[in-house]
Amino acid sequence: MASTAQQEGQQHPIRLYLVVWGWLFILSACSYLVDVLHLEGYLRWSLILLFMVLKAGLIVAIFMHMAWERLALTYAILLPAVLVLVFVAIMTFEANYTRYLRLTWFEAVEAPEAFDELQSAVGEDRS
Amino acid sequence: MSQPAPIHPQGFPSGGWRGFAADWASDQRAFKGVSWGKAMMWVFLLSDTFIFGCFLLSYMTARMSTVEPWPNASEVFGLTIGGVEMPLILIAIMTFVLISSSGTMAMAVNYAYRRDRVRTALLMLVTAVFGAMFVGMQAFEWTKLISEGVRPWGNPWGAPQFGAIFFMITGFHGTHVTFGVIFLLIVAHKVWRGDFDQGRRGFFTSRSGRYEIVEITGLYWHFVDLVWVFIFAFFYLW
């Protein structure tokens, strides 16, 4: 992590970039395969997220040279970005609530039997 | 016991946690050893991260809260090539094109610091061509979907928010790619002309630039690729 490569800019062997390039290709192909193979459920979501995080990490760390930057810069950039996850969590609650209201007030008027179904589903969700 | 961190010429520890604390506690520049140009590009990219983050968040919120079915991206973005149905094929090709452009860009930065003008300019030119290809394919994708009836207020397959989010997110990303291509061409031209060897002054800033601008351009370009990684995962695969 130390600032060794500062004097003449970022000097790293071309080979390293080619290796990362290759890995990005492999990881993208894997993400595409997730869709081609029709994987579903938790397996699909976790694989998509895994390949996404690995690709993003390689790009930021190697291509954008974050791995060799000063720690002060690394934290200034990466920490705020990670904090967006808090916002994601908040909006998840918000979206679930909106959906609940929509199902309650829009759907139930047209199809009363759907309302009962929904209530039991929401009940399970909330327990 | 940890070794004391190496001391900076001005008496500041230079690396690791000690360097981090010293940098942030200083009353001078926070990012010692990082040029202003690079630091400011990073700050800009962070702000851009928030913009794209908010777009993706709104998309998540809309998709989770809509009661209508969400269109199946795998089919919507599929193509029939030679009678064979290929799910998501165009997006896959676009992804590979953008990744390749990132690869050539990273190598351009390397050659820039070696002051290899010709290789740097050519690699940046290749990067720009890949970027233009990407935008071209996006134009094709938009044309196809518009002809199938996708609008910002609706689509033939379900939740109307799909159209709004599709045009918003991919449009904003495509705009970034387009500006990136222009940025790349300008810097490639400067490198080719030898501006950074002769200390030629820029017409806008009237300052002489440095080869570091290639790395700064690269940061922007890799960021565009980075955003696509997230759009690919959340919008097209999810």
Side-chain angles (χ1 to χ4, degrees), chain A residues 5 11 19 39 43 57 68 126:
Chain A
Q11 288 273 24
V19 168
L39 300 179
L43 181 64
W68 299 280
R126 303 210 136 188

Side-chain angles (χ1 to χ4, degrees), chain B residues 169-231:
Chain B
I169 293 182
T170 62
F172 210 71
H173 180 260
T175 311
H176 272 75
V177 179
T178 309
F179 280 112
V181 169
I182 296 168
F183 193 11
L184 281 168
L185 291 176
I186 292 172
V187 176
H189 178 240
K190 284 171 179 259
V191 170
W192 182 265
R193 202 166 54 180
D195 284 16
F196 308 126
D197 293 325
Q198 300 151 11
R200 180 180 178 138
R201 288 168 182 275
F203 88 99
F204 188 63
T205 57
S206 73
R207 292 177 180 212
S208 50
R210 293 187 290 142
Y211 271 104
E212 195 188 27
I213 190 66
V214 180
E215 190 189 350
I216 295 173
T217 314
L219 284 180
Y220 179 85
W221 190 258
H222 296 310
F223 177 77
V224 167
D225 186 24
L226 181 67
V227 169
W228 185 252
V229 169
F230 288 90
I231 296 177

